[in-house]
Amino acid sequence: MRTPLIAGNWKMFKTVQEAVVFTKELRNVVKDITDVEIVVAPPFTALHAVAEAARNSTIGVSSQDLYWERDGAFTGEISPGMVREAGAEFAIVGHSERRRLFGETDAIVSRKTQAAIAAALTPIVCIGETLEERDRGETPAVLDRQIKDGLGEISSEQLGEIVLAYEPVWAIGTGRTATAAQAGEAHAHIRKRLRQWFGADAADRSHIIYGGSVKPDNIRELIAEEDVDGALVGGASLDVRGFTEIIARSRQAAV
């Protein structure tokens, strides 16, 4: 059994002070939870402060992005080493907003994923189709392309250590959510391809989590699907009460 993983992506929300207050409150609430892996992804400005606030707790810390070079003339970018030094253990890669708003391609996702692994960071690699692609029946083909082109340079051993986040683009911040059956079908397809291309052991060890308007009232049904190993939570992760409710309900569903 894979331990459920619940990650909160705060996007461009929370000042350093707000992030620290949240983290301290969260660590008190979840201090006895050991059967769910909990991760928060603050903005870069709060990354170090949140990592310090979460030190020696059950909370992991992730960056929301990173660049693939170690250093250089890349104004505004943050290297994997900087992310690691700030205290992060994870790095979100290829979020749909990065792809849609900033033009990130599968080739860029591949480079960032490799760079994260090289820096001893666990990449949370996001994949998923647009509404137009789903309506045309292209979801499997889109997922296949994103897996092949985004993960094609990593080994089977490395795959077993990464997290894949299936996030249908049409469900990001829209209030729409894939049904449990839709999510389960997509996750089963992803797992099937991972087994085919990387081997059963790596595929079975790799977490595949769902992202897309996850809330307390839908997490239990989503995570009850066999191949759904947790969630990448957006807006609902900004409130301690709502986020801990998602964590609690994921525990119940996983039993």
Side-chain angles (χ1 to χ4, degrees), residues 162-176:
I162 76 167
V163 177
L164 272 175
Y166 168 64
E167 43 163 34
V169 179
W170 46 272
I172 306 296
T174 63
R176 296 182 58 178

Side-chain angles (χ1 to χ4, degrees), residues 32-138:
D32 296 323
I33 295 178
T34 58
D35 54 355
V36 176
E37 194 168 359
I38 302 165
V39 179
V40 294
F44 281 128
T45 51
L47 193 58
H48 178 66
V50 167
E52 287 298 303
R55 186 185 293 276
N56 298 322
S57 76
T58 58
I59 302 170
V61 179
S62 175
S63 68
Q64 297 178 17
D65 190 24
L66 81 175
Y67 195 62
W68 60 81
E69 296 286 357
R70 292 180 59 185
D71 49 37
F74 306 106
T75 300
E77 295 294 342
I78 306 293
S79 75
M82 294 172 181
V83 168
R84 184 71 186 178
E85 183 184 42
E89 305 155 84
F90 297 80
I92 297 174
V93 176
H95 190 280
S96 65
E97 290 161 359
R98 298 298 311 176
R99 294 176 186 261
R100 177 171 53 88
L101 298 176
F102 302 102
E104 292 198 2
T105 63
D106 293 328
I108 289 174
V109 170
S110 176
R111 296 183 76 173
K112 290 186 173 185
T113 299
Q114 294 174 70
I117 292 170
L121 294 163
T122 299
I124 301 173
V125 183
C126 302
I127 59 176
E129 81 283 5
T130 64
L131 181 59
E132 292 77 14
E133 290 166 337
R134 171 165 281 275
D135 287 343
R136 292 196 298 264
E138 297 174 357

Side-chain angles (χ1 to χ4, degrees), residues 15 20 23 43 49 52 58-59 67 99 111 115 120 125 138 150 158 173 183 188 192 206 209 216 227 232 237 253:
T15 63
V20 169
T23 305
E52 287 298 303
T58 58
I59 302 170
Y67 195 62
R99 294 176 186 261
R111 296 183 76 173
V125 183
E138 297 174 357
Q158 290 169 332
K192 176 183 176 181
S206 182
I209 62 177
D227 289 300
L232 180 58
S237 72

